[in-house]
Amino acid sequence: MSQLLEGKTVLILGVANKWSIAYAIAEACKREGGKVLLTYQGERQQRTVEDLGADVGASMVLNCDVTRDEEIGTLVEQLKAAGVTLDCVVHSIAFANREDLSRPFQQTSRAGFGLALDVSAYSLVAVSNALAPLMPNGGSILTLSYLGAVRVVPNYNVMGVAKAALEACVRYLANEMGAANIRVNAISAGPIKTASARGIKDFSKVLDGVAALAPLKRVTDPAEVADTAVFLASHLGRGVTGNVLYVDAGFQVMGLLGA
Ligand code: NAD
Ligand code: IMJ
């Protein structure tokens, strides 16, 4: 069987541990013959991500906190120095203050709003602009979104606003980068039990609700998100840009829930 990412190099930002959606994407990229490079957020994650990198044959595992322009700059310099060119960049990063994901949305502070949008939306713009020069043959940029971008999901709050901004960034970036044959898309994934879901009030109920109500009558498996990421990164995705693809067991098509 031919492999979909043979000869392609994929940089993946957002692996924290083996449950990360980004790690499932790294595994799928490796399976399809892609060369995988990983970044991690600060020293605290270095060891874990280096170990996971070894499991997917990552040739480089580099530091990058996306809120720091100088760290994005250093990342680019390290890649350039190693003579790397990229075919795909996966942005699988989000953060909001925990208190902003539990108290009423209307109480969101200016600082909390800024932080959520900086980490979860602006970082896609910064990373895309910095890495585009390393994609001389065109390529595919991919980010992860959630239904809370376009519908009200209890407690998602400022993250929903950040994901709405992220999806708009995808469209504006896709328009500008298309001339360089760089495609920009988002996958809107159904709820998955990762570190970013840990401690979220009633998350088990969210999963049970989706399993009961979604057309496929089950929750989303990270490997399904990863296979769609492979499609978008590969030649098969060459006609798709500026899009948000739902990989959510069909949940988003439902109008009346529970009927
Ligand atoms: P995760 O916690 O494993 O991944 C989030 C990643 O963001 C971590 O690796 C973390 O280090 C990184 N990050 C946060 N702030 C950063 C910063 N300043 N610089 C660099 N990296 C930073 O959880 P996940 O569920 O795999 O989340 C990945 C993406 O998928 C997120 O964008 C999330 O919103 C999205 N998503 C998750 C779900 C879900 O239910 N788990 C559903 C849809 C979309
Ligand atoms: C997160 C909060 C509230 C409801 C939620 C989620 N639902 C889902 C998520 C229904 C599916 C997970 N998700 C899609 C995210 O994007 C999570 C982002 C996130 C999670 C945390 C938890 C820990 C923390 N800050 C966070 N910032 C962003 O301190």
Side-chain angles (χ1 to χ4, degrees):
M1 265 277 280
S2 79
Q3 293 177 300
L4 288 168
L5 300 182
E6 230 175 279
K8 292 197 193 286
T9 302
V10 185
L11 176 69
I12 302 176
L13 301 91
V15 175
N17 52 53
K18 66 179 175 190
W19 297 282
S20 294
I21 295 171
Y23 186 63
I25 294 173
E27 288 182 304
C29 289
K30 182 198 172 172
R31 181 194 74 215
E32 294 299 333
K35 181 173 156 182
V36 173
L37 316 177
L38 302 181
T39 72
Y40 56 89
Q41 176 198 8
E43 250 171 53
R44 222 164 36 87
Q45 288 185 356
Q46 180 169 4
R47 184 60 201 277
T48 312
V49 180
E50 280 175 353
D51 289 350
L52 292 171
D55 292 342
V56 293
S59 50
M60 298 177 85
V61 179
L62 302 167
N63 179 59
C64 185
D65 180 327
V66 294
T67 61
R68 297 174 180 273
D69 287 336
E70 67 276 14
E71 292 194 13
I72 296 174
T74 303
L75 171 68
V76 171
E77 288 316 313
Q78 287 170 316
L79 293 170
K80 273 189 186 156
V84 170
T85 61
L86 298 173
D87 302 286
C88 181
V89 175
V90 177
H91 171 282
S92 185
I93 288 173
F95 188 78
N97 287 325
R98 186 171 280 284
E99 74 236 38
D100 289 331
L101 302 175
S102 54
R103 65 180 177 194
F105 171 68
Q106 66 189 36
Q107 292 172 14
T108 306
S109 68
R110 195 181 299 275
F113 190 100
L115 174 67
L117 272 94
D118 184 22
V119 176
S120 315
Y122 174 72
S123 65
L124 178 72
V125 180
V127 161
S128 298
N129 189 52
L131 293 173
L134 297 177
M135 307 176 93
N137 309 314
S140 173
I141 297 174
L142 175 61
T143 188
L144 273 297
S145 192
Y146 176 60
L147 184 62
V150 292
R151 293 226 259 281
V152 173
V153 174
N155 299 316
Y156 202 57
N157 299 2
V158 72
M159 271 308 307
V161 177
K163 292 301 193 188
L166 179 72
E167 292 182 6
C169 290
V170 163
R171 293 185 283 273
Y172 280 90
L173 291 168
N175 177 49
E176 288 184 357
M177 302 180 91
N181 196 29
I182 297 173
R183 297 178 291 107
V184 188
N185 294 287
I187 295 175
S188 185
I192 295 171
K193 217 169 198 164
T194 65
S196 284
R198 202 171 296 146
I200 301 299
K201 205 169 158 278
D202 294 333
F203 197 79
S204 303
K205 282 191 196 157
V206 171
L207 292 173
D208 292 347
V210 168
L213 301 170
L216 294 179
K217 303 298 169 213
R218 58 176 179 77
V219 295
T220 301
D221 180 344
E224 299 169 344
V225 176
D227 284 347
T228 298
V230 165
F231 156 71
L232 287 170
S234 78
H235 180 71
L236 298 183
R238 66 195 177 282
V240 184
T241 195
N243 236 306
V244 180
L245 283 76
Y246 284 82
V247 181
D248 67 341
F251 185 80
Q252 69 97 17
V253 305
M254 300 306 293
L256 195 56
L257 295 173

